[in-house]
Amino acid sequence: MKLILLGPPGAGKGTQAKMLTERFDIPQVSTGDILRAAVKEGTPMGVKAKSFMDAGGLVPDEVVVGIVHERLQKDDCVKGFILDGFPRTVPQADALKQTLAALDKNLDKVLSLEVDTEALIGRLTGRRTCRECGRGFHVTFDVPEVEGKCDSCAGELVQRDDDQEETIRKRLEVYGQQTMPLVDYYRGEGLLATVDGMLDIDVVQAEILSALRAS
Ligand code: ADP
Ligand code: AMP
C-alpha cells in the first residue's frame, strides 16, 4: 500500500498515519519528523532547515526531495509507505513521480483530509508532541493516559515551537498557496479520495479504510 496523506497542518495526517502504520505494517514517512530530528541533531541539513521551519515557511524543495528519494529506497518501504507532509508543492509532486518511476512503484491513493480553518487553529494550539517518538496528542481531543507523558514511550510531551498562533497562521497561508494545488493535481491523476477530517479520530480512520477498500 503506497499512500499520500494530504491536508493542511493540523488536519490529522500524523495521527492517522500512525494508526495506518500499525494496521498495514508499513512505515510513516513524515518529512516534518525527519527534519525535526535533523534540527535536534544539529546536522548541516537541520541547521539549514531550522530558519524556514521556525518562520512557518517551507524548506527548499531540493532538500525535502532528497530526503524522500533516499528514504523510499530503504528496505522497510518495499511493502509500501505512508507519506505524511510530502509532497507540499507541485515540483515536489513531480519529483516524487520520478522517484517512484525509477523504483518501479505506483501510488495507490492520495487521501485528502478536509478540516475547517478555525478547527485547525484549535487543534494546533492544543497539540502536544512526544519529544522522543513524535507521537501527537491533544489537550482536549486526544488526552494522554498520564498527563504530560506519551502513551507509547512515556517520553515528555511538549508544544512544538511552530505551534504558536502567529506561526500557525503563516503555515496555513503557505498551505493555501503552495500545497492546496496538489488536490487538483492528484484528482487529475485519478488518485484522490477526500475524507471529512472534522469527524472524531476513530471515525476518520474508518472513513480512510473505507476509501481504501473502494479503490
Ligand atoms: P497533522 O499531522 O496533519 O499536522 P496531527 O495528526 O498532528 O496533524 O493533528 C493535529 C492535532 O489535532 C493533534 O493534537 C491531534 O491530537 C489532533 N487531532 C487529530 N485528528 C483529530 C480529530 N479527528 N479530531 C480532533 N482532534 C484531532
Ligand atoms: P509538519 O511536521 O508536516 O507540520 O512540518 C513542519 C515543518 O517542516 C513545515 O512547516 C515546513 O517548514 C517543514 N516541512 C515538512 N515537510 C515539508 C515539505 N514536504 N516541504 C517543505 N517543507 C517541509
Side-chain angles (χ1 to χ4, degrees):
M1 185 88 67
K2 293 170 271 311
L3 304 175
I4 292 177
L5 285 178
L6 197 61
K13 302 180 297 295
T15 304
Q16 297 298 328
K18 289 217 159 48
M19 296 164 87
L20 292 168
T21 59
E22 284 175 21
R23 180 173 292 267
F24 294 113
D25 192 26
I26 50 176
Q28 169 193 15
V29 175
S30 157
T31 40
D33 284 351
I34 295 169
L35 289 166
R36 276 185 292 280
V39 170
K40 197 169 154 188
E41 281 173 37
T43 66
M45 181 178 78
V47 171
K48 184 170 177 197
K50 190 175 185 313
S51 56
F52 298 100
M53 296 169 78
D54 285 349
L58 293 184
V59 173
D61 286 338
E62 65 271 18
V63 176
V64 280
V65 162
I67 291 175
V68 172
H69 185 78
E70 227 176 82
R71 182 67 186 85
L72 293 186
Q73 300 190 48
K74 296 259 161 76
D75 289 348
D76 64 339
C77 291
V78 166
K79 254 182 32 182
F81 49 78
I82 302 157
L83 284 167
D84 159 13
F86 180 94
R88 261 177 155 101
T89 64
V90 170
Q92 290 181 21
D94 287 339
L96 176 65
K97 217 185 264 183
Q98 285 184 14
T99 291
L100 293 176
L103 296 171
D104 202 19
K105 290 180 196 280
N106 285 312
L107 288 171
D108 292 299
K109 205 94 206 153
V110 176
L111 297 152
S112 172
L113 298 179
E114 300 186 331
V115 177
D116 298 347
T117 303
E118 282 315 305
L120 293 171
I121 293 167
R123 285 186 187 187
L124 291 170
T125 48
R127 172 160 65 183
R128 297 295 178 268
T129 306
C130 176
R131 203 191 272 285
E132 303 306 323
C133 74
R135 181 169 164 189
F137 293 84
H138 192 278
V139 293
T140 314
F141 307 129
D142 191 7
V143 181
E145 280 167 25
V146 179
E147 201 191 325
K149 293 250 180 287
C150 175
D151 290 355
S152 299
C153 73
E156 185 193 0
L157 299 185
V158 294
Q159 188 165 25
R160 268 170 50 174
D161 291 343
D162 57 353
D163 278 346
Q164 305 294 332
E165 189 155 345
E166 197 185 329
T167 319
I168 291 170
R169 289 197 185 271
K170 171 71 185 161
R171 287 159 64 205
L172 293 175
E173 196 185 305
V174 168
Y175 173 80
Q177 288 166 352
Q178 305 212 48
T179 311
M180 211 135 74
L182 294 181
V183 173
D184 281 338
Y185 180 105
Y186 286 116
R187 187 178 286 119
E189 307 242 313
L191 288 169
L192 192 81
T194 54
V195 174
D196 182 358
M198 291 292 288
L199 304 167
D200 285 348
I201 291 172
D202 289 338
V203 184
V204 174
Q205 179 74 185
E207 294 286 312
I208 287 176
L209 295 176
S210 136
L212 293 178
R213 274 193 297 270
S215 60

